[in-house]
Amino acid sequence: MPDTTEDMVAEAPDAMDVAAEPPSGPTKEFDLFEYFSIGSHVGKTLFANFTAELLTTVFGREVIVVRIESKGSRSAGDIHINSEDFAASARLPGGEVALLRPVFDRLESMAQKEVRPVIVIDWGGGLSEYRAKIWAATRIDKRLADLNMRCLSVVTTTSLMDRMRHATKLIEQTRLITPGLNLVLLLNRRVGGFTFIQGSEEARVFHELRKAAEGISIIKAQSITGESWQSCEAAGLSMSEVINADLRTLQHRLGGESSFVASAYQMQVAAWWKNTERAFLKILGTASATQR
C-alpha cells in the first residue's frame, strides 16, 4: 500500500481555490444560473440558495428561483416545476420544453428591461437527460445570445466515484450540445476532499474529470462543519440571518439552543460563506461587492 505523501496523490487544480484572492476587474453579468448533476446529494440546492442570497444581499439584484423537483419535497422558490410531470411530457406540444414555459416567458420579458432580475435554476437529481433534451431542442445558448443574455452552468459533484463520473459526462455533453454556455465545475467537499492515492481507481476517475474540465473554471468548496447548516435551515433561517443575527435572537430561532452551540453555528456558517463568496466573486470577475 503506497504512502499518501504529496507526490503520491492527485489533487484538484489550484486555479480557482477559495483561498486565493479574487482578481480585480468588471463584474461579469449573468442573467441565468443553473445547478445540475445526474445524481442527488451533491449540494445543488445549497449552492443555488447561496447564489440567490449572494446576488440579493451583496449585489442588490432581484432573483427568481426556479425549483425543478418532486412535488413531495418542495423547497422555497418563485417558480416550481414538478419533476413528475416530465414522465407525461411527450403528450404536450413541444414535449419537455413546454414544462419550462414559465422560465422561457420570464427570460423573454426580462430582455425588455433595463435592469434585469437574475434567474437561478435548481435542477432536481435524475433530470439531467431532460435538461439536455430541452437545451438541445431550444438551442438555449443561441436563444440567450439573441436576447443578449449570459448563462452560468454549474456542474456539481462530490468526491464519490459515481458522482465524478457523472460530472465528466455532463461536461462533455454540455460542451457538445450547447457550446455557447459558460461552464463551471464545482467540487463540493461535502463527503471528503479530492485527494486520492496515485494509481487508485478514484485517482483515475478524478483525472478523467480534470481532463474533461480543461479550460473551464473550477470552484473547490469546503463543507460546513458538522450538521450546523442543516440545523439552521431546519429552523427556517437563511445564511445571512444566521451570520447577522445577535446571539440571543439566534438562540431563540434555534429553539432555545445553548449560546455556546449557537455561537459555533454562527462562526461555522460565516466561515463557509466567506470562503464560498470569495470563490464565486472570482467566477463573476469582481474583486469587491457592496458590503452587507
Side-chain angles (χ1 to χ4, degrees):
M1 185 78 173
D3 295 329
T4 55
T5 53
E6 186 173 352
D7 60 343
M8 297 295 286
V9 299
E11 294 188 340
D14 293 330
M16 297 304 299
D17 198 320
V18 294
E21 286 298 325
S24 59
T27 302
K28 298 174 183 175
E29 294 290 346
F30 291 100
D31 304 280
L32 174 64
F33 291 75
E34 60 164 344
Y35 289 84
F36 60 105
S37 66
I38 292 177
S40 56
H41 304 296
V42 295
K44 295 187 304 296
T45 297
L46 172 66
F47 288 99
N49 289 346
F50 166 79
T51 300
E53 204 166 341
L54 177 73
L55 293 170
T56 301
T57 61
V58 175
F59 290 98
R61 300 291 298 277
E62 178 189 352
V63 177
I64 300 165
V65 176
V66 180
R67 306 286 188 194
I68 308 177
E69 61 186 356
S70 171
K71 55 188 174 185
S73 58
R74 179 165 288 196
S75 307
D78 302 293
I79 297 174
H80 290 91
I81 298 170
N82 296 328
S83 57
E84 292 85 354
D85 293 343
F86 284 96
S89 61
R91 297 195 295 269
L92 297 174
E96 301 94 347
V97 173
L99 295 178
L100 264 70
R101 188 186 302 277
V103 177
F104 300 138
D105 288 347
R106 287 293 187 102
L107 286 170
E108 290 185 322
S109 66
M110 282 165 49
Q112 310 303 318
K113 298 180 178 180
E114 184 175 347
V115 179
R116 298 171 176 171
V118 181
I119 292 179
V120 177
I121 301 179
D122 177 16
W123 288 92
L127 298 176
S128 61
E129 286 303 313
Y130 287 114
R131 171 191 171 273
K133 290 178 182 179
I134 294 168
W135 277 186
T138 59
R139 291 174 289 177
I140 187 69
D141 51 343
K142 297 185 184 300
R143 298 288 73 74
L144 291 174
D146 290 344
L147 296 173
N148 194 29
M149 290 182 169
R150 303 177 71 226
C151 173
L152 194 69
S153 298
V154 185
V155 178
T156 312
T157 184
T158 63
S159 56
L160 296 178
M161 277 203 300
D162 64 332
R163 298 305 193 256
M164 291 192 290
R165 287 192 180 102
H166 293 167
T168 299
K169 176 181 177 180
L170 289 178
I171 290 170
E172 293 171 345
Q173 181 186 70
T174 300
R175 280 179 152 169
L176 177 65
I177 64 175
T178 49
L181 295 183
N182 298 275
L183 264 173
V184 170
L185 172 62
L186 195 157
L187 301 176
N188 184 5
R189 292 184 172 108
R190 175 179 181 176
V191 296
F194 290 80
T195 299
F196 309 105
I197 298 172
Q198 190 175 43
S200 67
E201 182 66 7
E202 291 89 346
R204 186 190 67 77
V205 172
F206 184 53
H207 175 75
E208 292 292 324
L209 174 57
R210 291 175 62 182
K211 185 176 179 181
E214 285 180 359
I216 70 174
S217 297
I218 296 174
I219 296 175
K220 293 190 287 184
Q222 303 290 344
S223 61
I224 302 178
T225 304
E227 299 295 319
S228 299
W229 171 240
Q230 286 87 337
S231 298
C232 297
E233 187 177 36
L237 290 159
S238 69
M239 288 193 173
S240 292
E241 288 173 331
V242 174
I243 294 167
N244 296 320
D246 64 82
L247 196 54
R248 286 186 181 275
T249 299
L250 185 57
Q251 284 181 263
H252 175 72
R253 293 290 300 275
L254 291 170
E257 184 60 89
S258 156
S259 63
F260 295 92
V261 176
S263 180
Y265 285 178
Q266 193 170 51
M267 293 298 292
Q268 290 157 359
V269 172
W272 183 89
W273 177 285
K274 180 179 179 181
N275 286 336
T276 307
E277 178 186 69
R278 187 179 299 169
F280 272 74
L281 290 180
K282 290 187 71 172
I283 296 297
L284 297 174
T286 182
S288 61
T290 304
Q291 296 296 311
R292 285 188 296 279

